[in-house]
Amino acid sequence: MSGAHESAAGGEFTEIDHVAIAVQDLDAAIAWYEETFGARVVHRETVERDGVEEALLAVSDSYIQLLTPTSDDSTVARFLATRGEGLHHVGFRVEDCAKTLQAVQDAGVRTIDQEPRPGSRGTTVAFIHPKSAFGTLIELVEE
Amino acid sequence: MSGAHESAAGGEFTEIDHVAIAVQDLDAAIAWYEETFGARVVHRETVERDGVEEALLAVSDSYIQLLTPTSDDSTVARFLATRGEGLHHVGFRVEDCAKTLQAVQDAGVRTIDQEPRPGSRGTTVAFIHPKSAFGTLIELVEE
């Protein structure tokens, strides 16, 4: 097993950091998860550069990340307009975002971010392009 | 906090069980996750009733579930035809699938399964309808 890990281009995923879900009404979605499943919001933040407001609901050591756009030209607004509400991306936790991103790029994988950048709640993040990842928008998250 | 949990209609999520990703070529997707991130396949199974072949790759106590259709009329085949490869559903682990499903139904949430049914790797599962869950196909998973 360790052999497989050592030969991997990027760093190993240590956790599913979050499952991100795009919604039209953040408060309504939070209330549904709270009332139906007792999930609780542990963080809420507006990320201006991404044009989104997010709420994180804790599930064990992972999060449900509910996202809603704060501007009409944000990527989440375009996603909602074309695909509707639903699963938007998945965040995988890694130990070293810069190291993983570099290794992934060296392996020829197309990335959206060329360098790690600040994410919400003080994380360092980078997105991998879905065209290089079987249609899935993947976020690398370093806590 | 415990008050919120006690008042929840359904059971609390104990873990993100899996993130399910629909792909055209299961072996190619497995190889990408293995070679790029050192993920390893811990289970592989064809679920005839759902018309899918799946592979589970371990991430901490959760899984990446790669799905590919085994018949043209399966829901995953239709998903690929209309939306393309990408995130298909999220599985949340619960202690008691039957109890959670009943509570969710009692709360007026629309479900795809009216009763719990066998899932892969010996689990008991039930799906919640995305129209009742802000566009997200949610699977309740009892190990």
Side-chain angles (χ1 to χ4, degrees):
Chain A
M1 295 296 113
S2 63
H5 294 168
E6 283 158 20
S7 67
E12 193 183 345
F13 298 146
T14 59
E15 191 69 68
I16 295 180
D17 186 81
H18 63 271
V19 175
I21 298 170
V23 299
Q24 299 282 5
D25 183 336
L26 189 60
D27 289 321
I30 289 170
W32 187 78
Y33 277 96
E34 283 180 339
E35 290 163 16
T36 312
F37 300 107
R40 60 197 163 81
V41 175
V42 292
H43 185 79
R44 191 162 173 164
E45 181 174 344
T46 298
V47 185
E48 293 291 353
R49 69 175 282 174
D50 293 336
V52 296
E53 184 180 2
E54 70 169 51
L56 295 177
L57 294 86
V59 178
S60 186
D61 196 26
S62 304
Y63 303 100
I64 300 166
Q65 182 184 69
L66 301 174
L67 293 173
T68 202
T70 56
S71 68
D72 289 343
D73 61 350
S74 68
T75 56
V76 173
R78 290 197 296 271
F79 178 90
L80 286 171
T82 56
R83 308 202 45 154
E85 294 184 311
L87 291 166
H88 182 266
H89 69 269
V90 56
F92 292 114
R93 205 172 296 157
V94 295
E95 285 192 11
D96 185 329
C97 184
K99 188 176 163 186
T100 301
L101 181 64
Q102 186 63 56
V104 162
Q105 287 169 332
D106 289 348
V109 173
R110 183 174 161 196
T111 62
I112 293 173
D113 296 300
Q114 299 315 306
E115 293 181 8
R117 62 180 179 87
S120 65
R121 67 183 164 102
T123 57
T124 300
V125 306
F127 280 89
I128 294 174
H129 200 287
K131 285 203 188 301
S132 268
F134 297 85
T136 303
L137 178 58
I138 292 177
E139 182 178 7
L140 304 173
V141 182
E142 176 188 339
E143 291 198 307
Chain B
M1 295 296 114
S2 62
H5 295 168
E6 284 159 20
S7 67
E12 192 183 346
F13 299 144
T14 59
E15 192 68 69
I16 295 181
D17 185 81
H18 62 271
V19 175
I21 298 169
V23 298
Q24 300 281 6
D25 183 335
L26 190 59
D27 289 319
I30 290 169
W32 188 77
Y33 277 96
E34 284 180 339
E35 291 163 16
T36 313
F37 300 107
R40 59 198 164 80
V41 174
V42 292
H43 185 79
R44 191 161 173 164
E45 181 174 345
T46 297
V47 185
E48 294 290 354
R49 71 176 282 176
D50 293 335
V52 296
E53 183 179 3
E54 71 169 50
L56 295 178
L57 294 87
V59 177
S60 185
D61 196 27
S62 304
Y63 303 99
I64 299 165
Q65 182 185 69
L66 301 174
L67 294 173
T68 202
T70 57
S71 69
D72 289 344
D73 61 348
S74 69
T75 56
V76 173
R78 290 197 296 272
F79 179 90
L80 286 171
T82 56
R83 309 206 41 157
E85 294 184 311
L87 291 166
H88 182 265
H89 69 268
V90 55
F92 292 114
R93 204 172 295 157
V94 295
E95 284 191 11
D96 185 330
C97 184
K99 187 175 164 187
T100 302
L101 181 64
Q102 186 63 56
V104 162
Q105 289 168 331
D106 289 347
V109 174
R110 183 173 161 197
T111 62
I112 292 173
D113 296 299
Q114 300 315 307
E115 293 180 8
R117 64 181 179 85
S120 66
R121 67 183 164 103
T123 57
T124 300
V125 305
F127 280 88
I128 295 175
H129 200 288
K131 285 203 188 300
S132 269
F134 297 85
T136 303
L137 178 59
I138 292 176
E139 182 178 8
L140 304 173
V141 183
E142 176 187 339
E143 291 200 307

